[in-house]
Amino acid sequence: MDLKIVGWTDYDSSYPSITVSNEEVVPLIQIIIDEILDNGYMISGTDHQNQVACVPVFDNGYCFRATMRAWGSVMSFAYQEIDGKETGYMDFYMSTPKERKLPEPNKLDVEPADSDNFNGFLLPQDGELLTQTIQAGIPLMTTDKALIKIGELLKKRMGNQEDEE
């Protein structure tokens, strides 16, 4: 995969989310991991969605948005062990196990790609949570921006299907 991270933006920026095939996910994540490790970044899922420069932007004008759990997984792949303890996504979900280190905000020289995809990557656990709350008819109680957006889209689609029947 010939992508390069050219900077970092905020979650709500105008850069659309990258879409890749299943075969391209691992190489894409490796690009992000390499950037994290090369710079010693320590970014939680909360930081990824709420801080100024915690969403990587690629040279093709797309960015990598993720649910807080999915971002936590990326970080745990980067830092598989800290202080002799194996990490998991929950170690990076809302905070970091070591002192936080975020990318410096900078002006990006790449224009946003022409796409309306602003969804984030999610984990199976995220999908299960969305399915359970929709099936139970209960509100989704989360601060996760990706889950809120995807949940709204799913409810809208389900409402449209019911209207057609």
Side-chain angles (χ1 to χ4, degrees):
M1 178 169 277
D2 289 335
L3 287 176
K4 180 181 173 195
I5 294 175
V6 294
W8 296 75
T9 190
D10 65 279
Y11 194 89
D12 298 316
S13 78
S14 59
Y15 287 92
S17 299
I18 194 164
T19 301
V20 295
S21 67
N22 288 341
E23 295 80 30
E24 296 172 314
V25 169
V26 171
L28 177 76
I29 299 298
Q30 189 61 55
I31 292 167
I32 298 167
I33 289 170
D34 291 344
E35 180 78 5
I36 289 167
L37 292 174
D38 288 349
N39 293 284
Y41 295 141
M42 190 64 60
I43 307 166
S44 71
T46 300
D47 294 328
H48 171 69
Q49 290 190 358
N50 296 294
Q51 295 299 319
V52 175
C54 289
V55 174
V57 177
F58 300 99
D59 55 358
N60 65 355
Y62 287 90
C63 73
F64 180 84
R65 282 183 184 83
T67 64
M68 290 165 56
R69 282 182 188 86
W71 183 260
S73 287
V74 171
M75 292 299 298
S76 71
F77 294 148
Y79 296 103
Q80 296 179 17
E81 188 177 285
I82 294 179
D83 295 334
K85 180 183 170 254
E86 188 175 319
T87 67
Y89 77 84
M90 287 302 291
D91 292 303
F92 298 94
Y93 178 66
M94 295 187 77
S95 61
T96 57
K98 290 271 195 185
E99 185 176 342
R100 186 169 84 157
K101 181 180 179 193
L102 308 179
E104 291 292 323
N106 62 341
K107 183 175 179 339
L108 295 168
D109 293 331
V110 63
E111 292 294 318
D114 184 21
S115 172
D116 62 356
N117 180 19
F118 289 87
N119 293 329
F121 279 75
L122 61 148
L123 294 182
Q125 296 92 325
D126 296 316
E128 291 168 16
L129 174 65
L130 287 169
T131 301
Q132 291 168 355
T133 58
I134 291 170
Q135 287 176 341
I138 58 174
L140 180 62
M141 303 298 284
T142 183
T143 59
D144 191 308
K145 292 178 179 182
L147 288 181
I148 291 168
K149 182 169 177 91
I150 294 168
E152 289 169 356
L153 290 171
L154 288 173
K155 285 181 186 177
K156 187 175 180 180
R157 284 188 192 152
M158 290 175 69
N160 289 343
Q161 287 177 352
E162 289 174 6
D163 291 344
E164 292 174 3
E165 291 175 357

